[in-house]
Amino acid sequence: MKVAYWPGCVSRGFTPELHGSMAQIAPMLDIELVELDRANCCGAGVIAEHNMELADTLNARTFALAQQTDTDLMMNICSTCQGSQSECQERLDANTPYRDSINETLKAETGLEYERGIVNKNFLWVLVEDIGLDELRSRVVRPLTNLKVGPFYGCYVVRPTDRLGIDDEHPRDTYMQQVIEALGGTVIDYAGAYKCCGFPIITMNQKASLTMAGTHLGDAVDAQADCLVTPCPLCHLNLDLQQPVAEKVVGRELKMPVLHLPQLVGLAFGLEPKALGMNKHVVRPTSVIDWTQSVVGSAA
Amino acid sequence: MPEYTLKIRRYSPETGDAAYWEEFKVDLEGHRSVLEGILSARATTDGSIGIRCSCRAAICGSCAVRINGKADLACHHHLDHAAAESPDGNTITVEPMGNMPIIKDLIVDMDAVHWKKIQRVTPWLLPEGPEPEREYIVPHENMVDVTQTMACIQCGACVSDCLSMEVDPLFIGPAALAKAYRFVGDPRDGQQYERLKDLAEDPHGIYDCTHCFMCIEACPKGVAPMSQIMRLRRVAGSDQKINDRNNGYRHEKAFVKNIEKYGTLHEANLLPDSYGGKFHPRAIPVLAGSLPAIVPALLRGKVTPAKALHHHKLPDQKQIRAIYDTVEGRDSRNELNLYIEGYEDEPVLKAAGEEERGPHS
Ligand code: SF4
Ligand code: SF4
Ligand code: FES
């Protein structure tokens, strides 16, 4: 399949390993990525907080650019992009006079126009709904046997459920668990899977922010997870980059590796941790590297 | 009749025992409510089950509990839905709300938390100047603007599930802040600036919300407290220019300017700019404080000095700036509130998975 690909700002900034690992596994899944390299930041909820119309116009521009490509759908690799873009799309699609007024600005300033009804999905949703778990399973060459993985979704990809199209037919809030299992891993059930990483208030209330991150990481440690996996690079910033500070805030050692979703898929597809950029993480994914070596060892 | 299992969290202060789980079987139609299930267990099996309720019709706000881990009105949640959402498809878990002390079983102390926080925002009008001779007619647009917050029935479901309050019990919280907007948005109130200044400067005020959507998800009345908090921030920051000590407005301004300048986010500049720029006295301790995070990141090559200094501008940066100029140049902000406007048709996205529509459709 061919997708209009929006990697988001953070995956091209502080988490380049996310963008890199996605680029590596895409061909292994027969996904052709048509990168939207002229698209703009989704606003991460902050631009909408400042001025709703501004956020809606900027995202309408991204949608319009995606609609110019010859692709099946638009795909992102960031929970926060998904949530922010879905919020703007909800308003744009709900009300014709409003959409027309946004399009008027868009046309005047960029020559572009957004047509109602774009399909914009996080890579997680594409994996389950468009590629399918059977197909995914069939491409696994190194099942994640005995690797204990805790899912960490990120708020923006699980709430609000109606806006994100989460219902009985699309239980998108269970996809992480389904994917971990399809890759052969063991799902770790812990308290933090659907909670907030704390990133949005890191500059406003660092203590509260890192208490959130530290608590979820600690819960995962207590549940004996080998690592966490997330579809959100902003969660990754608070859970991995800030982990040394979070350890101080919650007063305990954590050392919990946090993987990006494409990295976990890549691992099961036989790629090495280093090739997937895991050496760029602040918390060394020692447990994951040990696991990789033990699998190689037992095969030899 | 179908049989449902209710797994209820029990706690009796007089026994001195820790809280425990107890299962009850109830024979009721699936369209009956979880509240009716609890009341039926109480009537037939154990008269000591504690639950608060009154209207049984989602009006009074007394019966909020956590059903399968999520806060909702017990009288507004069907048994068959609750069973379907449970992990085994039959055992419905019912617990008291979170973030509030438990009095008995499913009854929490609303006075200690919820009502205290409501009082914190001075939930009455503070008019200024001489009393008008005739009644004050509030313009229609203003009334519409605060309608959504007025739909609140004070059930506390949003407070129960608020993730900021979970780590910071002093956070004023979703219900009270939504109530605050009801008065900030009312033209009869004379203390708009003072109210906003107070809520922006409080370290547990409007900038302590972590934007987690829990309150939007929990609210049975569509109040969307988080959206009301974002409104308060908008008025406090953009309109009243309240430069709070929590860096809330500075952070928002830095982010918005960052995108205006670069089109995509330049993270390395965002942090210092959120505190007023690299050389602002406020920024120094914060940047020093973030060293434990930055140093390992530098060592791992995640953050390179080159990346910190250079950031590519988008090729069409002019377009972004033009959009900013037009939209920010308007006399007043253009907002679409779907709670008030409604959806003109079924939202297309509702079932994005089945109704496969490419970016072209
Ligand atoms: S969005 Fe804000 S107010 Fe609402 S539950 Fe989350 S932290 Fe609390
Ligand atoms: S805002 Fe909604 S959830 Fe919160 S107290 Fe009011 S009605 Fe209940
Ligand atoms: S009993 Fe009144 S809202 Fe449920």
Side-chain angles (χ1 to χ4, degrees), chain B residues 158 161-164 171 173-174 209-215 226 229:
Chain B
C158 55
D161 288 7
C162 173
L163 292 181
S164 273
F171 177 41
C209 159
T210 192
H211 209 282
C212 71
F213 301 92
M214 274 289 192
C215 52
M226 186 187 98
I229 297 171

Side-chain angles (χ1 to χ4, degrees), chain B residues 73 114 151-159 174-175 178 215 218-225:
Chain B
L73 299 174
H114 176 72
C152 173
I153 57 169
Q154 307 294 345
C155 68
C158 55
V159 174
C215 52
C219 179
K221 293 289 159 183
V223 173

Side-chain angles (χ1 to χ4, degrees), chain A residues 139-193:
Chain A
R139 296 179 190 225
V140 170
V141 299
R142 180 171 59 194
L144 305 178
T145 317
N146 297 331
L147 189 68
K148 300 195 284 294
V149 189
F152 194 94
Y153 281 85
C155 301
Y156 278 82
V157 86
V158 285
R159 288 179 293 271
T161 42
D162 48 357
R163 178 188 294 159
L164 294 166
I166 299 173
D167 52 31
D168 294 348
E169 275 164 63
H170 306 91
R172 291 170 166 173
D173 49 357
T174 63
Y175 287 0
M176 288 286 279
Q177 285 86 341
Q178 295 186 38
V179 166
I180 295 168
E181 274 172 6
L183 298 175
T186 307
V187 177
I188 289 292
D189 192 13
Y190 72 110

